[in-house]
Amino acid sequence: MSPVGVPEALNARAQGVADAFGTHTGVRVDAAALLTGRAALLGLTANGQISAGGATRILRAGDTWCAVTLSRPDDIAVVPALIETDDVGADPWPPLQRWVSTRSATVAVARARLLDLPAAVLGETAPGPPVTRAHGPRGERPGRLLVVDMSSMWAGPLCGRLLGGAGATVIKVESPRRPDGTRAGSDAFYDWMNRGKLSYAVEFDDEPAMRRLLEAADVVIEGSRPAALTRRGLGPADIAPRAGRIWLRISGYGSEGDAGTRVAFGDDAAVAGGLVRSGPDGPVFVGDAIADPLTGLHAAAAVAESLARGGGELIQMSMSATAAGYAGFVGGPVREPTEPETGASASALGADNAAVHALLDERHSVSC
């Protein structure tokens, strides 16, 4: 098995986005390190129709191909309900493949979605840029940008990391009961995505504390499904306006209607966008959860461009639509993984609560 690299053409296209971010911020970003850094840190290898991380597979349906991700314990637990059998044995993939092969990819994915499983039909999503609309008054860029990062995993945290590297103060917000799932994985990867951020542990149901936090923010990064905050009265329409505030929503398929209810991870979102290569037995994965770092990079560039316009915008990023924009750039030679630079460890969960409270006191006293 070979190391997980990315096609040179794809990397060159992503580097153009990184250079645009650098034009606005003065910070040089190496796209190759972003796209292949996790694979280099974890020593991942390319496995064809099994994702580099192992949680997603490309499966042959009765008419075309689809992808299913079983990364969470709950995902594996619902496989018997999905394929309507009492026992799938120790390995759920063989019975799942047999079940998928007997129906159309659209039908299989629709049933998986009913059970909240990350699943996608190959190439179902068209490419599309971020959807941006006015949201509050524009304003001058503050002396030091305050970013509230409520995302988890990869795409959103990467966006926050890039903004932090450009001088912003970034607050990483996590629930003490359900922290970012990557804390339970590789320390090296978690530190890479989150070092330099202030760790703030607060329950998202603590409406007064969350409202105070969001009202102080210049940039909000939201990575959950839109309804999660809206039902708490903490969506972008519920927070008092702040001149120039940018609200960034990252989702698998968009934020409107049924698309906003779909869960996605980087590998299945890439398949949805058609970002695969041709293999001897059908489509194979490109890179490592490639939709995640591509979306994080594009999101950071979109925020930087919005800041240059004076902000006051809601930006909606779709991982699958972002990936689809790279589907035609998978041929040719492959760039080997680039290991990112190491540095200090990220803050322990809630280690910076006192510092965040002091920062919010300062922000609110100035705005009063």
Side-chain angles (χ1 to χ4, degrees):
M1 293 184 287
S2 60
V4 180
V6 293
E8 290 281 8
L10 186 153
N11 184 75
R13 184 175 175 85
Q15 188 60 53
V17 178
D19 291 343
F21 177 78
T23 297
H24 287 292
T25 64
V27 176
R28 165 71 179 169
V29 174
D30 181 2
L34 299 184
L35 301 182
T36 65
R38 189 178 81 152
L41 285 172
L42 304 186
L44 302 180
T45 55
N47 295 314
Q49 293 178 336
I50 301 175
S51 64
T56 307
R57 300 199 183 189
I58 299 175
L59 306 175
R60 177 65 176 168
D63 55 349
T64 185
W65 300 86
C66 62
V68 178
T69 297
L70 303 178
S71 66
R72 305 165 297 182
D74 288 350
D75 297 334
I76 298 172
V78 301
V79 171
L82 173 67
I83 65 178
E84 299 176 282
T85 186
D86 292 332
D87 184 18
V88 298
D91 182 358
W93 288 110
L96 180 56
Q97 171 63 88
R98 290 193 294 270
W99 178 83
V100 168
S101 69
T102 62
R103 61 212 70 222
S104 74
T106 299
V107 168
V109 168
R111 180 164 173 80
R113 286 184 56 197
L114 288 176
L115 296 169
D116 208 30
L117 278 173
V121 179
L122 174 63
E124 67 172 276
T125 303
V131 176
T132 302
R133 67 170 186 259
H135 181 71
R138 297 194 184 279
E140 293 184 7
R141 179 169 178 167
R144 188 170 178 88
L145 202 68
L146 179 61
V147 177
V148 171
D149 179 5
M150 297 189 294
S151 65
S152 61
M153 307 304 285
W154 196 347
L158 173 57
C159 176
R161 173 187 172 278
L162 291 172
L163 294 174
T169 297
V170 183
I171 301 173
K172 181 170 180 62
V173 187
E174 298 172 83
S175 163
R177 291 183 297 111
R178 297 188 64 182
D180 187 335
T182 55
R183 280 191 182 272
S186 162
D187 289 341
F189 177 68
Y190 183 84
D191 291 343
W192 179 40
M193 285 295 103
N194 296 291
R195 66 171 53 98
K197 300 178 184 179
L198 298 173
S199 176
Y200 185 49
V202 61
E203 293 297 351
F204 283 36
D205 289 327
D206 186 344
E207 190 265 347
M210 288 296 298
R211 184 175 298 276
R212 190 166 187 265
L213 177 69
L214 294 170
E215 287 177 349
D218 299 308
V219 177
V220 175
I221 302 174
E222 177 188 344
S224 59
R225 284 173 279 190
L229 285 181
T230 300
R231 68 170 176 260
R232 293 177 169 90
L234 295 170
D238 304 308
I239 303 302
R242 183 180 185 86
R245 179 186 292 132
I246 298 166
W247 195 293
L248 171 68
R249 275 184 163 169
I250 296 176
S251 64
Y253 297 89
S255 303
E256 306 299 330
D258 289 343
T261 67
R262 293 183 69 174
V263 62
F265 289 89
D267 286 306
D268 53 86
V271 172
L275 182 48
V276 295
R277 298 185 78 161
S278 295
D281 300 312
V284 298
F285 286 103
V286 172
D288 168 32
I290 194 71
D292 268 307
L294 285 175
T295 302
L297 174 60
H298 276 257
V303 169
E305 291 168 5
S306 180
L307 287 167
R309 293 190 293 266
E313 295 179 334
L314 172 65
I315 303 171
Q316 300 180 86
M317 300 287 307
S318 161
M319 291 170 62
S320 56
T322 300
Y326 287 81
F329 297 84
V330 297
V334 172
R335 176 178 288 239
E336 293 294 298
T338 301
E339 188 163 340
E341 295 181 4
T342 57
S345 298
S347 292
L349 180 63
D352 303 305
N353 275 27
V356 170
H357 290 151
L359 178 58
L360 296 182
D361 287 343
E362 179 184 347
R363 275 269 166 150
H364 284 284
S365 68
V366 171
S367 62
C368 290

